[in-house]
Amino acid sequence: MSYSRRQFIQTTASVGAGALIAGCVPGASSISHRPQFDLLIKGGRVIDGTGVAETLADVGIRDGRITALGMIDSTDAARVIDAKGMHVVPGFVDIHTHTDSAILRLPTADSKLRQGVTTEVGGADGESRAPRKSKGEDDEVLYSDFDGFFTHLQEKGSAQNFASMVGLGTVREVIVGEDDRPATPEEMEAMKHVVRTAIEQGCCGVSTGLEYTPGSFASTEELWELTKAAPEPFRLYSSHMRNEDNRVLEAIEEAIRIGRHSGARLQISHLKASYKVNWYKNEITLKMLDDAIAEGMEVHADRYPYIAYQTGLANLFPLWSRDGGTEQFMARLKDRTILDRIRPETLRKINGLGSWDSVMITSTTVEAHKTYIGKTIGQIATQLNVDPFEFSVDLMLKENGSVGMVGFGMDEEGTETILKWKNTIVSSDGGAYSPASKSNPHPRTYGTFPRAIAYYQKERNICSLPEMIRKMTSMPAQKIGLKDRGVIKQGNAADIVIFDYATIKDNATFLNPHQFPTGMPYVIVNGVPAVENNSITGALPGKVLRSSSFNR
Ligand SMILES: [Zn+2]
């Protein structure tokens, strides 16, 4: 007897089905049985990320996605996590990070993962990992375009998902160089081409860092022209503005103009009004952003929940003194005549901050200077009995310009006003570190998200818990256009954080930053526990999020 091909297939299919049923009979071989869920989170208080109140629900996960939600009787799961009494929320989407190089060196991104970040958005402040012409200090590999970077990152693997913007500072550096001059028409075309290519290769927007060279040398018009080059639906303009203190209102105005002229969705990075004399401007900036929204623009801001900011010590020196790159900056610092012009401008910044005690050194490259880390320039100058300005210049010269600092320049009230604003996203502005690191990073690199929950929501009660969770999940996910993340919902990617509201706490401080938070025992990325029982598992379930992950 001979089978037709059609019959043969039918017969095989029925035998297969029979074997599957037999596998479910107790005592029978279970070799072909696959549980309904890879992971089942039982009994948790689910806050779905949209801002609505919590519900008691189980979450069933299969193949990296949420496949069931509600009272799930089935114990047919390969693994069950008992979340009774704990909150189950979407993984945090960190819209402004500096993990671009770190994630390659430290794929588990310890300080970020342990605080619940399941998606990192890199390429912030005008600086991205690609395209580059030369390698930075931190870089092992040079990527001439985003295809190279994204492919390499996917191959190496990461615990978290990673998306990136393309930095317009990086683009200017590659095409125009380090000089303070307008781009020629040819250079403009070349830069537009770089932006278009980056978006085509999977970037989700453009960013600027207008207090950093050479990005700061771009005119307002250059910025809106380049932003416009980003094809829709990826025309997101994320800006570290030209100024965040005495001229912050002008800077907000410029950001809105760029949004208006380019038709971009606007994202103001780490929104703040620094220095006491400017604190009253927080309310005004929010009013300006509200007006832009009323005009029909899409405007959001992000903010880290701390009152000190972190930057390079170089930023205390006037922009003109840094024109042309590090070499020329160093040459000017050695020239006493030029230094006489630099000094009053730097001292004006210090006055605005309060004093040299508001400037704390956080990183140095020269070994002998490591003892300065964690001290303020005021303290060091007193100790060494030197002039704090002369000390700073000397340190810059010996460190070839790369010294990290934090400035205590913000107020609690303004921080709460900004965090409370309806379109403010909670974001770390931080890189990824492991406690083995000898550096002294801003505590936000370890504590941003637990701190926003434990301090600003629970203790200060600036908004409801579901609203605070929304600011960390669906709001940033929608902003960059992620189609299936940021909300706990059937069909979405299973990025999930489980925390205990009673005990959640950030532990990192400015003097002791390498401290993981408490009360956040599970972080699940694409259905796989990357943190369990407060430990990093070493699993690398993260994905590089390129065009197919976006719906905008
Ligand atoms: Zn920034």
Side-chain angles (χ1 to χ4, degrees), residues 96 98 124-125 208-209 212 240 244 269-270 272 310 429:
H96 187 107
H98 296 286
D125 287 346
T208 59
Y212 303 110
H240 172 143
E244 298 184 329
S269 301
H270 38 64
K272 62 171 97 72
Q310 184 168 43
D429 189 11

Side-chain angles (χ1 to χ4, degrees), residues 10-234:
Q10 279 172 340
T11 312
T12 314
S14 73
V15 168
L20 200 64
I21 291 159
C24 295
V25 176
S29 160
S30 62
I31 201 148
S32 60
H33 173 71
R34 181 175 167 197
Q36 188 183 357
F37 301 114
D38 302 328
L39 182 63
L40 181 61
I41 303 168
K42 284 287 281 181
R45 302 159 67 173
V46 174
I47 295 179
D48 73 359
T50 63
V52 303
E54 68 182 62
T55 52
L56 270 184
D58 308 323
V59 183
I61 295 164
R62 187 183 169 100
D63 292 332
R65 301 214 162 253
I66 297 165
T67 52
L69 203 56
M71 294 304 143
I72 301 170
D73 285 332
S74 168
T75 49
D76 192 16
R79 205 168 151 209
V80 178
I81 292 175
D82 178 11
K84 207 156 172 245
M86 290 200 277
H87 281 89
V88 176
V89 302
F92 305 140
V93 177
D94 197 349
I95 202 167
H96 187 107
T97 81
H98 296 286
T99 45
D100 308 58
S101 292
I103 202 160
L104 290 164
R105 281 195 311 273
L106 185 67
T108 45
D110 303 17
S111 68
K112 301 301 296 294
L113 188 63
R114 284 290 308 271
Q115 57 171 309
V117 177
T118 55
T119 297
E120 299 275 342
V121 184
D125 287 346
E127 199 181 331
S128 52
R129 200 59 187 74
R132 295 274 180 90
K133 266 197 204 150
S134 57
K135 281 197 274 186
E137 286 166 32
D138 284 354
D139 306 335
E140 283 161 23
V141 185
L142 177 68
Y143 307 103
S144 57
D145 63 9
F146 269 98
D147 246 345
F149 173 50
F150 284 151
T151 304
H152 187 209
L153 179 56
Q154 189 69 67
E155 279 165 3
K156 275 202 96 163
S158 59
Q160 302 158 296
N161 305 307
F162 189 89
S164 185
M165 298 175 287
V166 56
L168 295 186
T170 300
V171 173
R172 198 173 218 275
E173 190 177 333
V174 166
I175 303 295
V176 181
E178 292 279 354
D179 299 340
D180 183 3
R181 63 167 176 83
T184 64
E186 293 74 31
E187 286 166 339
M188 276 306 293
E189 285 314 306
M191 286 196 284
K192 285 181 193 172
H193 179 72
V194 172
V195 169
R196 266 194 302 270
T197 306
I199 301 281
E200 277 162 17
Q201 294 183 351
C203 285
C204 59
V206 303
S207 82
T208 59
L210 302 178
E211 283 191 299
Y212 303 110
T213 61
S216 54
F217 302 139
S219 68
T220 307
E221 194 179 346
E222 174 179 319
L223 295 172
W224 80 55
E225 285 295 321
L226 293 182
T227 302
K228 215 152 82 177
E232 285 289 14
F234 298 101

